[in-house]
């Protein structure tokens, strides 16, 4: 049973169940609920990107929120100007890829807390540009009435249609990330995280992979922004302030950094849980902050790590109980054997 | 010229407050590898201790200040170290960073929900008057802040360099294992730095709250300013943090007046990025060796 819980078949089954659940969900939820679940998916995509940079490649970034913002503004401005959505979507990713690549350069020079502050400064700078450059971003009034795409005659204007569209795009992006993690790229990222000097001496081009880790993670953030823009249809610079970057960082760590499903769980604690815990109302953030502190204290590997720890604990319990049962059985066998031996001896 | 002097002096005053906060921030980093993302909130909170004491205990301003300083020492010094930093140290830097980010959310929300989300007027420690110096109008507040901050810095310097206790604290920061072998009670030294930090943020809070008004979001800008000051000046030197804080305060003020009020906040960030890329150890700092 416990082996089953961590087995591939079990993970596969959970995944299938989740997908089926997400597909039938719209038939039971009101538009607001749909918006919320779609919001969860968008945040999860952004966190997936950050997880690639932070969780796998070990490069701390406090700028993921800024990339979501850049992606959202890029898509918003382009679709408002009449550019077809797919082109705007790809441009958002490409733009964030390029900016993320440039942001990776400081990471070649400095590490850890310095890198955290460079990315933090970058995040605040992007926010200031969004707020102040009114000719481009419309300043504090933000962008309004962003159209939802019409793809191959499928109009995603209604809440339910757009939900399915978000689900489709999220699945595709998640698949891409899953593929990257399993590819040699992913292994190079992990090598970079575990021991950069060793990775370098083993022939991993750490310079290129550091830049790549930033660029890829950022472009996924950009794609999340490209989904966010038509989802909410209205946004302003405050949506992408430093708070969003910090929130995304918390999501990755709380879910479990360096695990594929961690960002999904982390995003759920930030986006879905507050709605279900409506009783707590204004106190939700206080409770959440306390839970994060307690979680970090006892299990810095996040919720996934906590789950794994519980499962391994249960398994160990089971193994030890099995072993004692076995020992007992063996003991009985021995008794039986000696009995039969003596009987046999008596018979001879 | 008069306007320049005015901007310069008020910039120095803000910078002196940044410097106090940055020094505390840096002490924590040096002795216990704590990057305190709640440092800005630590400056925001003591002002509310004062307001709470006045409102609930009904005491006057000065007794309330005394209560706030004691509360800061106990909560932001002792409790912070015992309840949050100590259990996390073994997990490394990142979980502690996340934990202090959570703490900053917690402190902000606690003030918002249990006190007020509105900016609160806060009494200055001395009456505000305008002094006329060489044609420039300078607020007595600025002079007062500069005096108090210099006093605090000189006192701290005297403590760190002029006393046995201070040298023991420096030894702890530089090499805890050797310090322990030499018989220095390392744990107690680390606790002292947390208490010094609590004292510095309380002082900063009392001086800055009359200017900015006491508000739950004050910590955002103050925390960022402290990080920038600490990094620009040099992460491993007390005087670095002081120089960084003063430079930051002056540049911010002058940039707002002469370059762009909208991008007032951007200039320190650009300064930060340039310094990190060009001289990661900071203007005054020593280079740290890279470890494998």
């Amino acid at each position: 049973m416990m082996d089953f819980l961590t087995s591939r078949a079990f993970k596969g089954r959970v995944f299938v169940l989740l997908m089926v659940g997400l597909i039938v969900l719209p038939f039971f939820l009101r538009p607001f609920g749909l918006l919320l679940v779609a919001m969860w998916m968008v945040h999860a995509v952004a966190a997936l990107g950050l997880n690639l940079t932070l969780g796998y490649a070990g490069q701390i970034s406090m700028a993921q929120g800024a990339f979501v913002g850049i992606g959202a503004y890029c898509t918003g401005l382009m679709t408002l100007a009449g550019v077809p959505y797919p082109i705007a979507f790809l441009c958002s990713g490409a733009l964030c890829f390029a900016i993320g690549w440039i942001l990776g350069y400081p990471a070649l020079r400095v590490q850890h807390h310095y890198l955290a502050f460079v990315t933090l400064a970058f995040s605040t700078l992007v926010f200031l540009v969004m707020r102040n450059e009114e000719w481009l971003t419309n300043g504090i009034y933000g962008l309004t009435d962003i159209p939802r795409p019409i793809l191959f005659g499928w109009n995603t204007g209604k809440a339910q249609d757009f939900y399915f569209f978000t689900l489709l795009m999220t699945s595709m992006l998640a698949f891409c990330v899953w593929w990257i993690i399993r590819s040699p790229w992913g292994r190079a990222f992990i090598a970079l995280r575990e021991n950069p000097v060793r990775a370098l001496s083993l022939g991993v081009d750490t310079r290129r992979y550091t830049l790549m880790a930033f660029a890829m993670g950022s472009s996924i953030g950009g794609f999340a922004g490209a989904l966010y823009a038509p989802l909410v249809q209205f946004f302003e610079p405050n949506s992408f302030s430093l708070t969003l970057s910090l929130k995304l960082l918390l999501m990755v760590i709380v879910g479990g950094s360096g695990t594929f499903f961690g960002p999904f769980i982390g995003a759920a604690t930030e986006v879905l849980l507050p709605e279900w815990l409506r009783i707590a109302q204004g106190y939700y953030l206080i409770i959440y902050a306390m839970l994060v502190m307690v979680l970090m204290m006892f299990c810095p590997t996040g919720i996934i790590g906590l789950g794994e720890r519980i499962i391994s604990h249960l398994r160990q319990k089971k193994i030890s109980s099995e072993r004692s049962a076995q020992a007992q059985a063996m003991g009985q066998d021995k008794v039986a054997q000696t009995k039969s031996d003596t009987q046999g001896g008596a018979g001879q | 010229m008069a306007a320049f002097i005015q901007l310069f002096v008020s910039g120095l005053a803000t910078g002196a407050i940044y410097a106090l906060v940055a020094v505390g921030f840096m002490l924590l980093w040096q002795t216990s590898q704590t990057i305190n993302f709640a440092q800005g909130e630590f400056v925001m909170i003591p002002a509310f201790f004062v307001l709470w004491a006045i409102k609930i205990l009904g005491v006057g301003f000065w007794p309330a200040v005394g209560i706030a300083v004691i509360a800061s020492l106990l909560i932001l010094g002792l409790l912070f170290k015992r309840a949050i930093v100590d259990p996390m140290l073994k997990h490394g830097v990142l979980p502690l960073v996340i934990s202090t980010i959570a703490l900053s959310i917690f402190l902000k929300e606690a003030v918002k929900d249990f006190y007020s989300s509105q900016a609160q007027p806060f009494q200055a420690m001395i009456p505000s008057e305008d002094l006329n110096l060489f044609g420039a109008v300078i607020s007595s507040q600025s002079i007062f802040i500069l005096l108090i901050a210099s006093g605090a810095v000189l006192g701290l310097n005297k403590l760190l360099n002029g006393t046995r206790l201070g040298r023991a604290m420096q030894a702890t920061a530089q090499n805890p294992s050797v310090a322990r072998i030499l018989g220095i009670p390392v744990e107690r030294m680390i606790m002292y730095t947390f208490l010094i930090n609590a004292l510095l943020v309380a002082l900063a809070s009392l001086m800055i709250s009359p200017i900015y008004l006491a508000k739950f979001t004050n910590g955002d800008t103050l925390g960022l300013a402290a990080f920038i000051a600490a990094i620009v000046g040099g992460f491993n030197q007390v005087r670095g943090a002081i120089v960084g804080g003063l430079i930051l305060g002056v540049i911010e003020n002058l940039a707002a007046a002469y370059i762009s009020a909208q991008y007032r906040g951007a200039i320190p960030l650009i300064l930060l990025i340039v310094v990190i890329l060009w001289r990661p150890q900071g203007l005054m700092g020593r280079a740290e060796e890279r470890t494998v």
Side-chain angles (χ1 to χ4, degrees), chain A residues 237-249:
Chain A
N238 268 327
S239 319
F240 312 111
S241 64
L242 186 60
T243 319
L244 180 63
S245 293
L246 293 183
K247 262 188 179 172
L248 287 167
L249 184 64

Side-chain angles (χ1 to χ4, degrees), chain A residues 145-267:
Chain A
D145 298 328
I146 295 151
R148 284 182 176 170
I150 300 171
L151 299 161
F152 310 112
W154 176 32
N155 188 342
T156 60
K158 284 209 185 87
Q160 195 169 331
D161 289 305
F162 195 79
Y163 172 85
F164 282 120
F165 173 71
T166 317
L167 182 59
L168 184 72
M169 298 311 278
T170 305
S171 312
M172 272 164 54
L173 288 167
F175 177 77
C176 286
V177 172
W178 179 78
W179 181 79
I180 291 170
I181 292 167
R182 289 174 55 91
S183 72
W185 286 88
R187 284 198 290 279
F189 285 157
I190 293 172
L192 193 64
R193 174 189 75 191
E194 291 302 324
N195 194 333
V197 178
R198 182 153 195 269
L200 187 64
S201 64
L202 287 176
V204 176
D205 185 352
T206 49
R207 193 184 148 79
R208 186 158 142 244
Y209 281 106
T210 307
L211 294 176
M212 257 313 180
F214 265 97
M216 283 181 169
S218 308
S219 77
I220 302 220
F223 286 133
L227 288 175
Y228 180 83
L231 171 65
V232 293
Q233 299 191 291
F234 160 75
F235 56 80
E236 39 116 17
N238 268 327
S239 319
F240 312 111
S241 64
L242 186 60
T243 319
L244 180 63
S245 293
L246 293 183
K247 262 188 179 172
L248 287 167
L249 184 64
L250 281 184
M251 280 180 213
V252 171
I253 306 282
V254 166
S257 75
T259 60
F260 181 75
F261 288 105
F264 290 96
I265 296 175

Side-chain angles (χ1 to χ4, degrees), chain A residues 54 60 62 105-118 120-122 124-125 128-134 195-198 242 246 249-250 253-254 257 270 282-290 292-294 296-300, chain B residues 25 29 35 37 83-84 87-88 90-91 93-106 109-110 112-114 224 227 231 234-236 260-267 269-270 272-273 276-282 288 290-292:
Chain A
L54 172 75
I60 187 163
M62 298 206 168
Y105 276 95
L108 298 174
R109 268 187 73 90
V110 291
Q111 279 285 314
H112 307 304
H113 52 289
Y114 290 107
L115 188 56
F117 291 122
V118 174
L120 190 146
F122 171 77
T124 315
L125 279 175
L128 286 173
V129 170
M130 284 173 189
R131 199 191 61 188
N132 293 341
E133 298 304 316
E134 283 175 11
N195 194 333
V197 178
R198 182 153 195 269
L242 186 60
L246 293 183
L249 184 64
L250 281 184
I253 306 282
V254 166
S257 75
E270 282 268 2
Y283 301 115
Y284 175 75
L285 268 176
I286 293 191
I287 298 167
Y288 176 74
M290 276 164 67
V292 170
M293 285 189 268
V294 172
M296 284 299 106
M297 222 173 271
F298 295 107
C299 193
Chain B
F25 180 71
W29 160 255
I35 302 178
F37 267 84
I84 293 177
M88 303 282 305
K90 58 178 184 290
H91 297 321
V93 175
L94 190 61
L96 188 51
V97 164
I98 300 296
S99 203
T100 57
I101 291 175
L103 179 66
S104 81
I105 297 175
F106 175 79
E109 291 296 314
K112 192 176 99 185
D113 290 342
F114 297 113
L224 197 59
F227 301 151
I231 288 188
F235 227 69
N236 45 23
S260 156
Q262 283 181 320
Y263 280 104
R264 178 194 173 116
I267 310 291
L269 299 170
I270 293 168
L272 170 76
I273 293 178
I276 286 187
L277 291 183
W278 168 64
R279 223 184 125 79
Q281 71 270 34
E288 282 171 55
R290 256 180 104 161
T291 48
V292 175

